[in-house]
Amino acid sequence: MSHRTVEHRLERMKQRYGARNVVHLVSMLIATHLDRPSPGNGSAMAETADD
């Protein structure tokens, strides 16, 4: 995937979510996902920590 493709997709996501920059976008997405209940009985990290 080209770096220009990534830049373009990030710009579109920033516009869609109203983020000022990539850091703001990431923080908004993390906050959004932390508000949602996780599927199952634990987080994804707990499910993969079986080794």
Side-chain angles (χ1 to χ4, degrees), residues 23-50:
V23 174
H24 187 212
L25 175 66
V26 170
S27 67
M28 291 171 68
L29 293 173
I30 289 172
T32 300
H33 285 86
L34 288 178
D35 289 341
R36 294 182 185 172
S38 60
N41 289 335
S43 68
M45 293 296 288
E47 293 174 11
T48 59
D50 290 336

Side-chain angles (χ1 to χ4, degrees), residues 4 8 10-11 13-14 17-18 23 25-26 34 39-40 43 46 48:
R4 290 293 297 148
H8 183 69
L10 285 172
E11 284 301 318
M13 287 181 70
K14 287 190 308 186
Y17 289 99
V23 174
L25 175 66
V26 170
L34 288 178
S43 68
T48 59

